[in-house]
Amino acid sequence: VFPNPVLDKIYITRSSTSSTIDVYSVLGKKINTIRISEKGTIDFSLYKKGVYLLDIDGYVQRVIKN
């Protein structure tokens, strides 16, 4: 998952062909669910500044939106 902190887009490279990504607020509220391909991107431009948690097939990554 890069870049972190993010401005507009997050790039995710996975070994599997597709992934389901759940986006959570830092308080644990589910905000969105996204399906991406092996080399996918997530448009983060509409998210407010703050800290988010990405659950990528069970692996949780903290992301900071500037």
Side-chain angles (χ1 to χ4, degrees):
V1 176
F2 62 95
N4 193 5
V6 62
L7 292 175
D8 294 326
K9 291 185 181 179
I10 292 178
Y11 299 92
I12 298 173
T13 302
R14 299 284 300 150
S15 58
S16 60
T17 56
S18 67
S19 294
T20 300
I21 299 173
D22 293 321
V23 181
Y24 293 91
S25 71
V26 73
L27 299 175
K29 180 179 177 184
K30 187 186 237 182
I31 297 172
N32 201 358
T33 298
I34 304 162
R35 290 201 47 87
I36 64 164
S37 61
E38 183 177 339
K39 295 180 181 177
T41 61
I42 298 175
D43 183 3
F44 240 68
S45 62
L46 299 178
Y47 290 87
K48 295 179 182 178
K49 292 181 181 183
V51 178
Y52 295 88
L53 302 173
L54 302 181
D55 183 344
I56 307 165
D57 295 332
Y59 173 76
V60 178
Q61 174 74 42
R62 186 182 73 169
V63 174
I64 300 169
K65 167 69 163 96
N66 283 336

